Amino acid sequence: MTYPPADDRLRHLLAQEINTSVDTWKLAMAIADGIVKDPAIRAELDRIARAHNHGQPCGDQNCPHCFDAALEAEQ
């Protein structure tokens, strides 16, 4: 079995990051589960993915993909 599992990858990746700031893995998974199930967050992830898939900037000032693309365009 590979980690994170392909069928629950986003939740596990979020929990890994959250786990550095909370006391238990169970709490990290609970927080990650709430994030993954939030419709507003899912909609934002979809919006960013659509923009990137069309080669457009997503508008997120912290997006490393868009930052790298802007640097390449300047060269």
Side-chain angles (χ1 to χ4, degrees):
M1 177 183 228
T2 60
Y3 187 84
D7 63 342
D8 201 14
R9 186 172 169 79
L10 181 58
R11 185 171 69 116
H12 280 261
L13 290 171
L14 287 168
Q16 276 182 284
E17 189 65 30
I18 293 165
N19 195 40
T20 63
S21 301
V22 298
D23 292 334
T24 67
W25 177 251
K26 185 176 181 178
L27 177 57
M29 285 295 278
I31 294 168
D33 190 56
I35 292 169
V36 168
K37 291 178 179 175
D38 185 295
I41 292 172
R42 296 305 295 217
E44 181 62 7
L45 289 171
D46 290 343
R47 184 196 66 76
I48 290 168
R50 272 193 311 278
H52 288 173
N53 287 335
H54 289 98
Q56 300 171 343
C58 67
D60 184 332
Q61 67 180 354
N62 298 305
C63 177
H65 173 79
C66 293
F67 181 79
D68 291 343
L71 286 180
E72 288 176 13
E74 290 179 5
Q75 295 176 358

